[in-house]
Amino acid sequence: MKWKQQIFGMKAYQPGKPMEEVKKEFGLEEVVKLASNENPYGFSPKVKAFLNGDDTNHAIYPDGYAQNLRTAVANHLNVAEKQLLFGNGSDDLIAIVTRALLYPGVNTVMATPSFSQYQHNAEIEGAEVRQVPLKDGKHDLDAMLAAIDEKTSIVWVCNPNNPTGTIVNDEELQNFIEKVPSDVLIVLDEAYFEYVNSPEYKDTLHYVNEYPNVLIMRTFSKAYGLASFRVGYAIGNEGIIAKLDPVRAPFNNTVLSHKVAIIALQDQAFIEECKTKNEEGKKQYSAFCEKHGLNIYPSQTNFVLFEVKADSDVVFTEMMKRGFIIRSGNALSSPGYIRVTIGTEEQNDKFLSLLEEVLIEQGVFA
């Protein structure tokens, strides 16, 4: 077989363990998954009502152009329909962008640790990956600019960043965009956009009109609670979208995913309610870390990355035994830390109580 050389030794994306598997392995009746940053409150009641009465014909192909969803999103964002590209989640969009712009001989610049799929897809395409370490948990934009040269094709800014939850503020971002060469695509990955509450973080949509090399990615998987429906979208200059669209698979969303995303978009009150509850949950984790002297990154997302002063894998396993699936910092290039999705108030209370128990066992607390 004539395999691409770059895939040798490459590992597939490793999601958290399925809940049913954890129940079976540890003999548990109930398991709470706080590993993948899903919305603990699910999706809008309007979506649930629609699904209860849905009569979609699943025997026919979906509209590959996603016209109805395209119109709804364009109206919601006040952008032109031709400025949108839809993907089977943001992962699909990342693959489309890298397939279109990366190849042997060019490079791509990104922060580390950040979302792993930037590097993964770049390596598949044979491009050089230039990773710039975070500075105090944030993108080091000056160092990223210094890493860009005449062979750079894409620079990635995960904002808010995964796994730290930190943001690049508007002033910093604008200064960065102005300095990036016009032939380098700037991808702003805003998967957690709806959760941000910092006044220093401004809506970035104006950049796609002011700078033709800016592409914004957002998703229905996080705040909208539609992770299993797999709908991500990108906003950009019409010229960029026209170049990327032929790379997209013909039917990369389903009929049902188009419908539920439109309905979810209409219930912004639900999004605001989830955002408010998320802020309260965030305070629970901040208070725990302050009480125990643990570093926690200032998150603008629905997850927190914080210090445990113990082996992250051990804490991960011990919490799983107790019915909570989280992410070990070792898997996120953040040893000694864990990343936890902010759950409901009750889930957070129980989790933190059990975590305290684990850290006492590990000798972290007296």
Side-chain angles (χ1 to χ4, degrees):
M1 297 292 229
K2 300 177 180 65
W3 300 106
K4 279 186 172 182
Q5 290 301 306
Q6 49 266 35
I7 72 170
F8 286 96
M10 184 173 283
K11 295 181 179 180
Y13 180 78
Q14 297 295 317
K17 277 193 173 186
M19 295 170 69
E20 291 305 316
E21 183 180 330
V22 173
K23 286 181 182 179
K24 184 177 180 181
E25 182 177 352
F26 297 107
L28 300 168
E29 292 293 324
E30 182 181 358
V31 168
V32 177
K33 184 184 176 191
L34 299 178
S36 301
N37 308 333
E38 295 126 335
N39 189 334
Y41 304 102
F43 44 67
S44 165
K46 293 182 179 180
V47 171
K48 184 175 182 180
F50 164 76
L51 291 173
N52 288 338
D54 176 48
D55 60 354
T56 297
N57 181 358
H58 294 285
I60 62 172
Y61 285 110
D63 170 15
Y65 193 61
Q67 183 60 67
N68 291 339
L69 177 58
R70 181 178 299 274
T71 299
V73 173
N75 289 340
H76 178 69
L77 299 178
N78 194 28
V79 299
E81 293 186 2
K82 290 184 178 180
Q83 287 186 273
L84 296 170
L85 177 73
F86 291 91
N88 187 32
S90 293
D91 302 291
D92 187 29
L93 295 171
I94 294 167
I96 290 170
V97 170
T98 55
R99 188 178 182 191
L101 284 158
L102 297 183
Y103 45 87
V106 302
N107 67 69
T108 179
V109 176
M110 63 196 69
T112 184
S114 193
F115 189 45
S116 62
Q117 293 304 290
Y118 312 146
Q119 177 184 355
H120 182 81
N121 283 278
E123 289 178 346
I124 290 173
E125 300 304 330
E128 178 193 353
V129 175
R130 296 184 175 179
Q131 294 181 298
V132 177
L134 298 177
K135 188 175 182 180
D136 298 324
K138 294 179 58 178
H139 283 63
D140 187 344
L141 297 181
D142 289 337
M144 290 176 71
L145 282 169
I148 295 172
D149 62 18
E150 69 280 357
K151 293 185 178 180
T152 303
S153 186
I154 306 173
V155 58
W156 306 85
V157 179
C158 188
N159 194 28
N161 186 50
N162 181 5
T164 55
T166 55
I167 60 168
V168 172
N169 69 42
D170 189 61
E171 182 180 355
E172 294 167 336
L173 183 61
Q174 180 157 354
N175 289 337
F176 177 76
I177 291 174
E178 288 174 351
K179 294 174 183 176
V180 173
S182 61
D183 64 345
V184 176
L185 180 67
I186 304 167
V187 179
L188 306 180
D189 186 349
E190 300 180 348
Y192 300 93
F193 166 79
E194 289 84 5
Y195 283 110
V196 180
N197 71 342
S198 171
E200 295 184 342
Y201 186 101
K202 308 295 184 183
D203 197 324
T204 54
L205 287 177
H206 64 97
Y207 288 122
V208 302
N209 294 320
E210 296 167 11
Y211 300 89
N213 60 327
V214 171
L215 184 75
I216 298 168
M217 297 193 311
R218 295 180 183 173
T219 183
F220 283 92
S221 295
K222 303 304 180 184
Y224 286 95
L226 301 178
S228 69
F229 289 97
R230 313 305 299 127
V231 184
Y233 61 96
I235 314 111
N237 174 276
E238 288 187 20
I240 288 179
I241 298 299
K243 286 287 195 300
L244 293 173
D245 200 34
V247 184
R248 176 183 58 81
F251 306 107
N252 61 336
N253 293 126
T254 67
V255 176
L256 193 55
S257 64
H258 288 170
K259 291 183 176 181
V260 297
I262 291 170
I263 294 168
L265 198 63
Q266 296 168 356
D267 194 354
Q268 291 302 307
F270 174 76
I271 299 300
E272 289 302 314
E273 181 183 352
C274 291
K275 182 176 179 178
T276 299
K277 291 178 179 177
N278 184 71
E279 287 301 310
E280 292 304 311
K282 200 185 299 180
K283 292 175 184 177
Q284 292 175 268
Y285 287 90
S286 296
F288 178 86
C289 290
E290 183 177 355
K291 173 184 175 182
H292 294 294
L294 304 173
N295 182 52
I296 183 170
Y297 288 106
S299 177
Q300 289 290 322
T301 66
N302 69 333
F303 62 82
V304 283
L305 180 72
F306 63 96
E307 184 181 29
V308 287
K309 294 183 178 177
D311 187 314
S312 301
D313 286 346
V314 171
V315 175
F316 162 78
T317 301
E318 290 300 319
M319 290 308 300
M320 193 157 50
K321 289 178 182 178
R322 291 161 171 80
F324 282 90
I325 308 173
I326 58 172
R327 288 300 298 270
S328 166
N330 290 344
L332 303 169
S333 301
S334 302
Y337 283 70
I338 57 173
R339 193 192 70 188
V340 184
T341 305
I342 298 168
T344 65
E345 181 181 1
E346 294 75 20
Q347 289 170 345
N348 299 333
D349 276 339
K350 185 176 180 181
F351 173 84
L352 291 170
S353 175
L354 292 172
L355 177 62
E356 189 170 49
E357 175 185 296
V358 169
L359 295 183
I360 290 172
E361 288 180 0
Q362 296 302 309
V364 177
F365 307 148

